[in-house]
Amino acid sequence: EPPDLPHDFSCHTQDMKKIICTWSQGGNTYLYGEHSTKYTFFEEFTQKLIPCTVECPTQCSCSWDINQQRIYNIMMTVENSLGKKTVTDAFDVTHRIHPSAPSELFGHCSDTKIMLFWKHRNKGIKLFCQAEVFHPDGKAELYNSSSTHLQYASITVGELQPYTRYTLRVRCGAAQHFWRWGEWSKTQTFRTEEASPSGKLDIWREITPVLRGRNVTLFWKLTPSFQANGRSISYEVTWEKVEEDSKPQHSSISSGYNSTRIFIDNDPYKISVVAKNNVNHSLPSVMIIPGATGNISTVNELSISDLKEDWVIGADNGIFLSWEPRNTYDGYVVDWCNFPELQPCDLQWKRFGPHSSSALITSASFVPGVRYNFCIYGSVANRVSLLEKKTGYLKELPPTLDPPVKKIHLTFHAVTLSWDSYPTNASQPGFIRGYHVYVSPVQEDCSLKESKKHVLPDGSVLCKYIIENPEEKRYTVKHLMPNTKYKLVVKAYTGGGETPITNFIYIETPFDSNTLYLLSLLVIIPSAVAALCHWKMKW
């Protein structure tokens, strides 16, 4: 086949010493030896052939030394025994500078800046350079140099994070008659210096009354704006009395911990927590603990049992809370335990702004059938006040155990059942909403007065009575027949329903002698009289 017309034919120089022409190689001509493709270069202005050796590893190129000539009109001919093609490129060589990649990168770092230096191979050419900075999150930024350079150059990269690794590379272009950027240098990684931690810690507390004072467990976590800015972080807790001059007490905690416990007496205290590295410490996070009387603290802090506890129901992705907003607070805090049945319970907290009045609390630790308790606090001037309490489930489940039923009174026509010991507290997998009492004669379906019909999967029919008060744990089933066997069961139900009926208790109403006497009067005596009359008539 004849040769293809070369694509992307272009000529440039890297150092004003050699001209390099490049182009994309065409398709295979399937000609070899003396019939293979040959290239010739001809300069139109001087009318001279240019001696040049073509190399085509991936992209074809050919180069030759520059003389005093600056303006060129290069014609390249591609030819084989089946045909030829020509392409041209006219240019001013000073307008076609494509610098080689910078080398020997090194830098000087401060906590927020990197001054990057490198060396040019293109001596005598004024260059304008650009640095690309790769951040730890993968984001890349470009920085342009503010001046032109000859052999040595530098760029200052600012607004960086302390004690952070950055990867940089550099490329350059001609400062005069810019044509295109040169090749990128090899990348170099630098780490900025340490600085004081920035931002504050988010702190919280749990207060437990003890003899002659209180145990305060302090917790802290990093806020989104917090930066450690150093290789190692530790924490320091300071506490002192608010209303009198006292020597502050201190406690240092290593980086592997996010809580500590201190003892304070019943006076008001100011507690602060800071994060420290090798340079300095962060701004303090402060909390005021109000005073207490004896072993019982003020209503604002510890009288949780005095507040009404509202029920809340969860959704698939969390538990929704709402509260009444108050104008006196600059924010709200909600706390809860991820594992309320364990100690420690993994106390969690979340802060909300002054205009918030609801929140969806989510946690990977929330599971169906566990009751979670939430306390809502108002915060102002580093003080918090307990406002509301909520309790609820991510999802309610049916009770796992049936009430332990006792037969406390049995008559000819009624039975009274009791399950006083059945708990309705947080041990249940849902809020106990009430009870269902099921009853039926053993030998037949049930049809007692004042009951609802309930059909079992096997088709048998039970009588159903509904108790909607979870604290009402006694019920009398009426309208029974004497001398009859009955089966009964009591089921507690929650928002998650109740478990299937599997086990019954059995009772037998006593024999009613009065009924037998009445039967005698109504049946036997009339029968005797009738027989006597029949005998007399026959006589």
Side-chain angles (χ1 to χ4, degrees), residues 21-49:
C21 292
T22 60
W23 64 95
S24 298
Q25 188 176 17
N28 196 341
T29 63
Y30 303 102
L31 296 174
Y32 306 98
E34 61 180 14
H35 302 291
S36 62
T37 302
K38 296 176 176 58
Y39 299 87
T40 57
F41 288 81
F42 184 77
E43 207 290 302
E44 294 282 352
F45 295 132
T46 60
Q47 293 292 300
K48 291 182 179 179
L49 285 172

Side-chain angles (χ1 to χ4, degrees), residues 14 25 83 159 215 247 293 301 313 316 357 359 372 432 454 475 488 516:
Q14 289 185 326
Q25 188 176 17
E159 298 182 0
N215 283 334
K247 183 178 179 181
T293 303
E301 273 297 314
I313 304 301
D316 290 338
S357 59
Y372 298 97
I432 300 297
H454 179 80
Y475 191 78
L488 305 98
L516 181 62

Side-chain angles (χ1 to χ4, degrees), residues 234-297:
S234 61
Y235 306 96
E236 183 169 281
V237 178
T238 303
W239 63 100
E240 59 184 321
K241 292 187 178 183
V242 173
E243 298 173 351
E244 63 182 71
D245 291 334
S246 62
K247 183 178 179 181
Q249 300 182 68
H250 304 274
S251 177
S252 295
I253 298 96
S254 63
S255 61
Y257 297 90
N258 64 349
S259 66
T260 190
R261 187 167 70 179
I262 63 173
F263 171 81
I264 60 175
D265 58 31
N266 291 317
D267 293 331
Y269 273 79
K270 173 186 174 182
I271 300 176
S272 65
V273 184
V274 298
K276 300 195 311 181
N277 62 16
N278 295 331
V279 176
N280 209 329
H281 57 73
S282 67
L283 293 173
S285 299
V286 178
M287 177 173 289
I288 304 297
I289 306 295
T293 303
N295 283 341
I296 302 176
S297 291

Side-chain angles (χ1 to χ4, degrees), residues 2 13 51 85 121 124 126 194 203 223 290 299 311 358 367 415 429 434:
T13 181
K85 299 288 191 324
R121 296 172 184 166
K126 286 187 176 182
E194 292 186 81
I203 64 172
T223 61
V299 172
W311 285 7
S358 63
V367 294
V415 62

Side-chain angles (χ1 to χ4, degrees), residues 225-431:
S225 62
F226 181 85
Q227 296 290 335
N229 295 340
R231 68 167 59 88
S232 62
I233 282 287
S234 61
Y235 306 96
E236 183 169 281
V237 178
T238 303
W239 63 100
E240 59 184 321
K241 292 187 178 183
V242 173
E243 298 173 351
E244 63 182 71
D245 291 334
S246 62
K247 183 178 179 181
Q249 300 182 68
H250 304 274
S251 177
S252 295
I253 298 96
S254 63
S255 61
Y257 297 90
N258 64 349
S259 66
T260 190
R261 187 167 70 179
I262 63 173
F263 171 81
I264 60 175
D265 58 31
N266 291 317
D267 293 331
Y269 273 79
K270 173 186 174 182
I271 300 176
S272 65
V273 184
V274 298
K276 300 195 311 181
N277 62 16
N278 295 331
V279 176
N280 209 329
H281 57 73
S282 67
L283 293 173
S285 299
V286 178
M287 177 173 289
I288 304 297
I289 306 295
T293 303
N295 283 341
I296 302 176
S297 291
T298 62
V299 172
N300 284 345
E301 273 297 314
L302 287 178
S303 57
I304 295 179
S305 60
D306 296 338
L307 282 176
K308 181 178 177 295
E309 197 169 54
D310 297 324
W311 285 7
V312 290
I313 304 301
D316 290 338
N317 55 346
I319 298 175
F320 182 78
L321 308 179
S322 63
W323 58 88
E324 180 185 346
R326 282 85 162 174
N327 295 329
T328 53
Y329 299 105
D330 57 19
Y332 300 93
V333 183
V334 177
D335 75 1
W336 71 93
C337 286
N338 268 342
F339 304 99
E341 299 169 350
L342 302 179
Q343 282 298 330
C345 70
D346 189 21
L347 183 69
Q348 302 291 312
W349 72 97
K350 192 172 183 179
R351 296 185 181 273
F352 299 91
H355 305 297
S356 299
S357 59
S358 63
L360 180 67
I361 306 299
T362 59
S363 171
S365 301
F366 286 169
V367 294
V370 174
R371 187 182 297 187
Y372 298 97
N373 301 309
F374 302 89
C375 291
I376 300 167
Y377 301 82
S379 67
V380 62
N382 299 322
R383 300 172 185 265
V384 296
S385 301
L386 179 62
L387 305 179
E388 299 180 28
K389 290 192 305 174
K390 312 285 182 180
T391 185
Y393 298 82
L394 179 68
K395 181 181 178 182
E396 292 186 76
L397 299 179
T400 53
L401 298 175
D402 291 339
V405 177
K406 295 180 180 179
K407 177 185 68 177
I408 60 173
H409 188 62
L410 180 65
T411 67
F412 306 120
H413 303 289
V415 62
T416 299
L417 306 174
S418 172
W419 51 95
D420 292 337
S421 63
Y422 191 68
T424 59
N425 55 20
S427 64
Q428 296 287 0
F431 295 117

